[in-house]
């Protein structure tokens, strides 16, 4: 088996961190707090490729990091399944919040040489607000929070996958590498691009022209061929609507998508607290006295979840979880196949009595694009607009909360 260049990079980085002095220059490439497959791979590849592209002897250490505890990687069943063959010792090789206490602790003064690069998000959550002065680069596909105007690059474009933006930004660097090294990077990139575009399903309206370009390059590199690197640096975020344009990509990536999709759905054994925190993000709302609300994405039917725990116990557990985090409100967004049909649900939880009902009514009245319908089968509503992934629905909910 060929030596993994990415694993070698991570081992070298770990050794550099052990020998680092307090004032040595360091760039921490952060994935978002959900630490999903896209964040994990995007942050890893940015750090690796930035280190390869850095001036010789600049002494800067490039560290890919996820703002979760190392033990929590096991909750990301699709991430661990994907890395099991590509980076078998991922849990020990990757960098996490508990392994970088001086960076993640608000109580520790950070050196001026620290730089923070954001991948797969463009606004720090409340728990990482102390890192705000150090953000100097962004590659992200969420709604622009209009912060960090000085960042270079500051690429915030609504493509399917943040990893697509990484591939496009570093395309010339990847193309210059030896074939085996290119293939390893391309294989890693294809995982999140495949998942986040829903295997280029035009009905889901996630895949853009940029995702197609990135996937084509990665497939060529994965298979040992040269790729056509676009000379134009602009990112085309036009949604792909012609299924015929992606037929070859679907055929090439179908097995990978099925494997990752199955792994992502294998979560029904997890207790409620783990289901909520495995793909969770927090947001601060300035018009609600800076209150914090949370969003948990769960790939399981709420009917089955509530039946497993019992509806009363489920309500108590999720409400307590929200109280423990001092949340204004908690939104649980599901995504799963119901008799072969892609389905979404939304549950709203609030510690304050009556608040959840007010929010649900406001969403129905003020955000008709969500198409939230009541359910008689459990404590949730049906999101009939299946395009409402978290990155799409979160700005809508933010707007609704502002009018409460």
């Amino acid at each position: 088996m060929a030596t993994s260049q990415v694993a070698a990079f991570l081992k070298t980085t770990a050794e550099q961190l052990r020998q680092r002095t307090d004032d040595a220059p360091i760039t921490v490439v952060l994935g978002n707090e959900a630490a999903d497959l896209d964040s994990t791979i995007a942050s890893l590849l940015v750090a690796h490729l930035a280190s390869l592209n850095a001036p010789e002897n600049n002494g800067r250490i490039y560290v890919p990091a996820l703002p979760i505890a190392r033990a929590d990687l096991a909750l990301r069943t699709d991430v661990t399944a994907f890395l099991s063959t590509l980076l078998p010792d991922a849990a020990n090789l990757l960098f996490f919040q508990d392994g970088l206490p001086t960076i993640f602790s608000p109580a520790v003064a950070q050196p001026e040489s620290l730089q923070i690069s954001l991948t797969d998000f463009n606004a720090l959550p409340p728990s990482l607000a102390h890192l705000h002065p150090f953000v100097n680069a962004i590659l992200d596909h969420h709604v622009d929070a209009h912060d960090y105007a000085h960042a270079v690059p500051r690429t915030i474009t609504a493509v399917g996958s943040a990893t697509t933006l990484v591939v496009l930004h570093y395309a010339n660097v990847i193309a210059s590498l030896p074939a085996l090294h290119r293939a390893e990077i391309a294989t890693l990139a294809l995982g999140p691009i495949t998942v986040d575009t829903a295997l280029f399903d035009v009905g889901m309206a996630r895949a853009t022209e940029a995702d197609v370009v990135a996937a084509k390059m990665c497939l060529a590199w994965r298979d040992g061929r040269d790729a056509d690197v676009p000379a134009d640096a602009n990112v085309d975020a036009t949604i792909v609507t012609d299924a015929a344009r992606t037929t070859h990509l679907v055929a090439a990536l179908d097995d990978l998508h099925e494997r990752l999709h199955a792994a992502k759905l294998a979560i029904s054994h997890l207790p409620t607290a783990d289901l909520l925190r495995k793909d969770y993000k927090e947001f601060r709302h300035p018009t609600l006295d800076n209150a914090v609300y949370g969003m948990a994405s769960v790939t399981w039917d709420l009917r089955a979840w509530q039946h497993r725990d019992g509806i009363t116990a489920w309500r108590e557990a999720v409400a307590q979880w929200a109280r423990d985090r001092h949340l204004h409100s908690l939104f649980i967004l599901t995504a799963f196949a119901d008799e072969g049909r892609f389905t979404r649900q939304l549950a709203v939880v609030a510690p304050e009595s009556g608040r959840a009902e007010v929010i649900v009514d406001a969403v129905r009245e003020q955000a008709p694009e969500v198409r939230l319908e009541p359910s008689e089968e459990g404590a949730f509503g049906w999101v009939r607009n299946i395009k409402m992934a978290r990155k799409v629905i979160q700005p809508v909910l933010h707007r609704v909360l502002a009018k409460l």
Side-chain angles (χ1 to χ4, degrees):
M1 179 181 292
T3 301
S4 167
Q5 295 298 316
V6 174
F9 158 71
L10 292 171
K11 292 174 182 177
T12 298
T13 302
E15 184 59 31
Q16 290 173 326
L17 286 174
R18 279 191 287 270
Q19 299 178 10
R20 176 178 175 261
T21 57
D22 290 342
D23 59 347
I26 182 172
T27 294
V28 177
V29 184
L30 277 178
N32 69 45
E33 70 271 35
D36 61 5
L37 186 61
D38 202 21
S39 274
T40 301
I41 300 302
S43 59
L44 172 59
L45 293 184
V46 167
H48 181 43
L49 293 168
S51 72
L52 294 174
N53 199 40
E56 288 188 24
N57 302 318
N58 73 343
R60 181 165 291 276
I61 306 171
Y62 294 86
V63 186
L66 297 173
I68 62 170
R70 184 180 301 276
D72 286 353
L73 181 66
L75 301 178
R76 280 77 178 169
T77 49
D78 55 333
V79 177
T80 55
F82 182 60
L83 294 178
S84 62
T85 55
L86 300 175
L87 207 61
D89 200 22
N92 292 317
L93 290 174
L94 296 175
F95 299 91
F96 300 90
Q97 182 169 307
D98 44 351
L100 296 167
T102 58
I103 300 295
F104 284 102
S105 172
V108 178
Q110 302 299 333
E112 292 184 3
S113 62
L114 173 65
Q115 295 178 353
I116 298 292
S117 178
L118 305 182
T119 56
D120 201 21
F121 65 141
N122 65 82
L124 289 168
S127 60
L128 298 177
H130 65 286
L131 296 177
H132 184 280
F134 305 99
V135 174
N136 75 329
I138 301 172
L139 290 173
D140 180 45
H141 66 149
H142 293 86
V143 172
D144 193 345
H146 302 290
D147 206 347
Y148 314 112
H150 63 281
V152 178
R154 189 184 185 280
T155 303
I156 303 173
T157 309
V159 297
S161 169
T163 303
T164 284
L165 299 176
V166 176
V167 171
L168 295 177
H169 184 76
Y170 288 102
N172 287 310
V173 177
I174 301 171
S176 69
L177 298 174
L180 288 177
H181 195 169
R182 276 189 331 214
E184 182 182 11
I185 289 170
T187 302
L188 285 167
L190 282 169
I193 292 174
T194 300
V195 169
D196 277 30
T197 60
L199 190 61
F200 295 90
D201 183 348
V202 296
M204 297 296 292
R206 292 187 192 175
T208 66
E209 294 293 342
D211 297 296
V212 172
V213 171
K216 284 182 176 178
M217 286 194 294
C218 287
L219 280 173
W221 290 328
R222 184 195 71 177
D223 297 340
R225 296 178 284 111
D226 290 332
D228 294 325
V229 177
D232 188 354
N234 292 328
V235 177
D236 187 351
T238 304
I239 296 292
V240 177
T241 57
D242 182 4
R245 296 203 59 253
T246 60
T247 301
H248 63 296
L249 295 175
V250 172
L253 298 170
D254 183 59
D255 287 347
L256 173 62
H257 181 263
E258 285 298 312
R259 180 164 61 90
L260 292 177
H261 186 65
K264 192 171 186 177
L265 296 178
I267 60 171
S268 61
H269 63 289
L270 295 175
T272 287
D274 286 348
L275 287 169
L276 291 172
R277 68 192 181 93
K278 74 176 293 292
D279 193 353
Y280 174 74
K281 294 183 180 181
E282 287 186 350
F283 306 88
R284 191 176 296 281
H285 206 302
T287 63
L288 295 175
D289 295 326
N290 276 326
V292 174
Y293 66 96
M295 290 200 70
S297 293
V298 181
T299 52
W300 193 26
D301 186 345
L302 274 165
R303 293 171 297 183
W305 183 3
Q306 293 170 357
H307 176 74
R308 183 196 71 177
D309 293 358
I311 187 62
T312 300
W314 182 88
R315 286 179 185 272
E316 292 175 351
V318 295
Q320 186 61 51
W321 200 85
R323 281 193 293 270
D324 290 345
R325 283 153 186 79
H326 308 289
L327 298 181
H328 172 276
S329 44
L330 168 65
F331 298 91
I332 304 170
L333 181 67
T334 68
F336 61 97
D338 185 15
E339 297 182 353
R341 183 178 177 181
F342 187 82
T343 304
R344 289 194 185 278
Q345 302 157 323
L346 180 68
V348 183
V349 180
E352 183 177 300
S353 178
R355 180 182 289 165
E357 291 77 10
V358 170
I359 294 172
V360 169
D361 289 343
V363 171
R364 289 180 184 142
E365 294 172 6
Q366 300 173 27
E369 65 271 32
V370 175
R371 293 166 55 196
L372 183 63
E373 296 180 2
S375 168
E376 297 180 356
E377 302 177 76
F380 64 88
W382 299 101
V383 178
R384 296 306 186 189
N385 182 355
I386 62 172
K387 297 175 184 177
M388 284 284 157
R390 180 170 53 195
K391 73 172 184 175
V392 179
I393 200 173
Q394 182 270 324
V396 176
L397 297 174
H398 195 86
R399 184 189 75 218
V400 170
L401 290 175
K403 297 179 181 179
L404 292 181

